[in-house]
Amino acid sequence: MASRCWRWWGRSAWPWTPPLSVGSIPSFRHQFSTQETTPQICVVGSGPAGFYTAQHLLKHPQAHVDIYEKQPVPFGLVRFGVAPDHPEVKSYGAEDHRALEIPGEELPGVCSARAFVGWYNGLPENQELKPDLSCDTAVILGQGNVALDVARILLTPPEHLEKTDITKAALDVLRQSRVKTVWLVGRRGPLQVAFTIKELREMIQLPGTRPILDPVDFLGLQDRLKEVPRPRKRLTELLLRTAMEKPGPEEAARRASASRAWGLRFFRSPQQVLPSPDGRGAAGVRLAVTRLEGVGEATRAVPTGAMEDLPCGLVLSSIGYKSRPIDPSVPFDSKLGVIPNVEGRVTDVPGLYCSGWVKRGPTGVIATTMTDSFLTGQMLLQDLKAGLLPSGPRPGSAAIQALLSSRGVQPVSFSDWEKLDAEEVARGQGTGRPREKLVDPQEMLHLLGH
């Protein structure tokens, strides 16, 4: 149990529509007897997967659902997700990032995209990041939506971010940024990029920027498009047009006047972060040139033996995310980053369920998470109806309250959150923003009188 928790009380605390976003990693503990008239269910994690599952569980006419959250504020990545200028879409939900495992990744100027995202979205644990944006060039290792979102935030004119809920501290740093060029590096080719067409189109049209794509990377690609599914085909066609076709007069003029640029570097695998001469920061990334072997899902990048260095002063790793084990008593597959389960039922632990990325791994979009979470809720209710859950009395939330009290922990309640929410909205009104996020947990607790 984290030092702070946040809880909702059953039906009386369901005034809010679940968010259209993806990625929380809750687990569910059955805390009730099948003989009881009021089933008590504990949900650990207040992100979208947790809320979607709770929504389905509340189809039971008497279910009592408590949601616990380690942060002093709820909603997970809906609050701390990827893009403040995309409040309708948040894209990650695991608690850790995958390490590069290459020399130099510990240098100042190197961090995970997840930490960078948390920094500009006000995640308390990332507020000490203080990224140095005094360099001319940034490199993002990865070619997914998170990588594109981070690139967009780095290159978006600050005045366009002023009306979002990006933190004031992050906005102040971005106003002083000297980053003019952002490279997104991928081990494989244009047919294997992980971002989607909506995000790519927005990036291509980003004010004040121009795309840099090497036509050589796209030679012969047109002939292969008949083999790929329609969404991938449309995405690749947009990449092809951007790389190969001469823009019209208006677009050509826009690109010519652009002061910033972004580009995709394909068939490159990071081997080392190069230090600056004084060893106090990053000066570039050494990349192995790769080629593809295999077909379809089995396609993999293999080194050709050639190397090249890409100068930069900032390196952001966006090569994937992974979940963390919640507790030693809960089974966890460290290699896959998931809790072993069958349709959400945790293997060999009756009464324990999981949902979100900790259930299936860091994949999928909103529809995937919603369907996945509803399935977990459905399995739990089926097991309850069939009498398959452990019998006997369960103390439920009373035991949690007693445990927290014994440890001197004062939980933050939903009504407490409403006070913090009102404070943030009030602070934002003065600057025409939807809210000014509170980022210091101690300040939050002080405002609540805790």
Side-chain angles (χ1 to χ4, degrees), residues 127-440:
Q127 292 315 292
E128 299 301 316
L129 186 65
K130 295 180 173 59
D132 183 357
L133 306 184
S134 63
C135 59
D136 177 80
T137 302
V139 168
I140 302 173
L141 301 174
Q143 293 182 337
N145 278 343
V146 173
L148 272 191
D149 283 343
V150 169
R152 191 179 67 254
I153 293 298
L154 283 170
L155 297 177
T156 294
E159 58 269 21
H160 290 208
L161 297 173
E162 289 175 350
K163 302 303 180 183
T164 73
D165 67 355
I166 191 170
T167 66
K168 182 180 182 299
L171 188 57
D172 289 344
V173 172
L174 289 167
R175 284 195 181 102
Q176 303 300 317
S177 173
R178 297 181 184 177
V179 175
K180 300 297 182 185
T181 304
V182 177
W183 291 104
L184 295 95
V185 177
R187 292 180 296 110
R188 299 190 291 173
L191 281 175
Q192 289 79 37
V193 295
F195 49 72
T196 49
I197 192 169
K198 177 181 179 293
E199 283 67 28
L200 174 62
R201 185 179 294 114
E202 183 172 1
M203 198 69 193
I204 291 171
Q205 299 170 351
L206 188 64
T209 70
R210 60 185 177 88
I212 306 173
L213 299 177
D214 188 345
V216 173
D217 291 331
F218 297 86
L219 294 177
L221 209 56
Q222 184 70 52
D223 298 333
R224 300 176 57 188
L225 290 184
K226 298 177 183 179
E227 310 167 8
V228 300
R230 186 171 181 271
R232 172 67 66 178
K233 179 180 179 181
R234 291 176 60 238
L235 172 63
T236 308
E237 286 174 340
L238 179 55
L239 284 169
L240 272 168
R241 289 195 300 272
T242 306
M244 308 292 279
E245 294 181 5
K246 182 178 180 180
E250 185 176 342
E251 177 63 11
R254 188 189 75 83
R255 294 185 186 182
S257 65
S259 61
R260 298 181 176 187
W262 63 276
L264 298 171
R265 299 293 290 270
F266 297 109
F267 308 110
R268 302 292 187 272
S269 178
Q271 301 299 299
Q272 179 183 355
V273 178
L274 302 173
S276 58
D278 61 8
R280 296 182 179 179
V285 181
R286 179 157 294 162
L287 304 169
V289 180
T290 64
R291 58 181 173 82
L292 297 183
E293 286 187 353
V295 295
E297 295 297 323
T299 300
R300 63 190 186 96
V302 297
T304 64
M307 293 280 187
E308 68 177 36
D309 293 346
L310 182 58
C312 65
L314 176 67
V315 180
L316 299 170
S317 169
S318 183
I319 59 172
Y321 301 90
K322 63 180 181 180
S323 299
R324 295 175 180 171
I326 189 173
D327 186 85
S329 66
V330 179
F332 189 76
D333 186 324
S334 299
K335 183 177 181 180
L336 298 178
V338 299
I339 294 175
N341 71 94
V342 178
E343 295 184 315
R345 299 179 177 99
V346 176
T347 305
D348 298 328
V349 188
L352 185 62
Y353 300 78
C354 60
S355 186
W357 282 5
V358 81
K359 172 184 176 182
R360 68 180 189 275
T363 61
V365 294
I366 174 57
T368 318
T369 289
M370 182 171 62
T371 302
D372 167 270
S373 301
F374 284 174
L375 178 61
T376 292
Q378 181 181 344
M379 295 301 102
L380 194 158
L381 293 179
Q382 284 182 4
D383 292 351
L384 171 64
K385 184 177 180 180
L388 299 177
L389 295 175
S391 60
R394 294 288 191 277
S397 58
I400 302 298
Q401 284 185 304
L403 176 65
L404 294 175
S405 178
S406 70
R407 295 179 177 179
V409 176
Q410 186 174 0
V412 176
S413 67
F414 182 69
S415 59
D416 286 335
W417 155 244
E418 290 180 313
K419 295 174 185 176
L420 296 176
D421 180 44
E423 175 68 19
E424 291 185 342
V425 171
R427 292 187 183 190
Q429 286 177 342
T431 57
R433 304 174 65 196
R435 68 176 60 240
E436 179 63 49
K437 285 181 180 175
L438 297 165
V439 299
D440 183 353

